Amino acid sequence: MAKTGTTTQDLRSAIERSGYYPALVSEAVESAVGAEPITSYLVHQETTFDANEVRRHVTVLVLTPSRFVVSHTDEQNGDAATPVPYATTSTESVRLDRINSVVVSRMVANPETYTPGTLPREVVLTIGWGAVQRLDLEPAGCSDPNCEADHGYTGSATADDLSLRVSEAGDGPETVSQALVFARALSEATMTNRV
């Protein structure tokens, strides 16, 4: 479930509604945000199925006047080193002037009859600030099918710090709308915080 709003209490309520270790998640996020006011936020819980296990993950995105805060919390089953189930939570604070891209991908059905203002069926929000780069390489070649020369490699580097997908079918139309509201607020904030 994703939620967006503008107060600490609203954020805490959205985290509690997600039902995913709310005390742990709230404490981590509030500690990272500190005394700064909250401009917008998005809470997204994702459940995945891994072989015979069900795993939950929650991502909390918070926008303040000067920073973008991202928090991830995952649960793990016990193992040999830690025999009881446990959760890990991490937060990262990024100055708004460090964000170099906010990409919003929208998937719409029947584009030939699209009406402006209609919610997309799916939204993928990708935010880059240079902490993570993905490098995709493949062997380079030429158009000669008989060529056996080594042409080296070709590829692309992509900033891929955070990618969050919400869909109408999986998360509901309200969540899709809220993801768009947060993306717009973040895009506008990065424009006004350029040096």
Side-chain angles (χ1 to χ4, degrees):
M1 169 180 287
K3 295 292 173 196
T4 188
T6 56
T7 69
T8 302
Q9 184 56 46
D10 290 341
L11 173 58
R12 190 176 300 122
S13 295
I15 291 170
E16 288 172 3
R17 278 191 305 274
S18 80
Y20 186 80
Y21 306 121
L24 172 66
V25 174
S26 291
E27 181 181 51
V29 170
E30 290 172 13
S31 176
V33 170
E36 255 193 303
I38 295 171
T39 305
S40 188
Y41 64 83
L42 182 66
V43 177
H44 182 256
Q45 184 193 349
E46 181 178 14
T47 302
T48 58
F49 301 94
D50 181 21
N52 294 332
E53 297 177 355
V54 175
R55 294 182 188 245
R56 295 183 299 166
H57 174 90
V58 69
T59 301
V60 179
L61 309 179
V62 179
L63 181 60
T64 74
S66 67
R67 295 178 297 140
F68 166 66
V69 177
V70 60
S71 173
H72 295 286
T73 304
D74 291 291
E75 65 183 355
Q76 305 292 327
N77 291 327
D79 54 26
T82 308
V84 296
Y86 61 96
T88 57
T89 188
S90 63
T91 57
E92 182 174 2
S93 294
V94 181
R95 286 189 338 257
L96 288 176
D97 63 356
R98 298 273 307 157
I99 295 177
N100 52 37
S101 69
V102 177
V103 180
V104 181
S105 300
R106 301 163 190 217
M107 192 274 285
V108 298
N110 303 312
E112 67 279 357
T113 60
Y114 177 77
T115 303
T118 302
L119 281 178
R121 293 179 67 178
E122 172 178 307
V123 171
V124 178
L125 174 60
T126 305
I127 304 165
W129 57 92
V132 177
Q133 290 269 332
R134 184 180 68 227
L135 185 62
D136 294 319
L137 293 175
E138 61 184 41
C142 67
S143 59
D144 181 0
N146 297 318
C147 180
E148 294 183 16
D150 182 357
H151 295 285
Y153 289 88
T154 185
S156 62
T158 308
D160 196 17
D161 295 307
L162 175 75
S163 189
L164 184 74
R165 176 187 171 270
V166 295
S167 70
E168 184 179 42
D171 303 296
E174 180 183 278
T175 301
V176 173
S177 176
Q178 292 162 345
L180 291 170
V181 168
F182 182 83
R184 182 177 183 149
L186 181 60
S187 290
E188 290 174 356
T190 59
M191 274 183 11
T192 59
N193 280 285
R194 292 287 174 212
V195 178

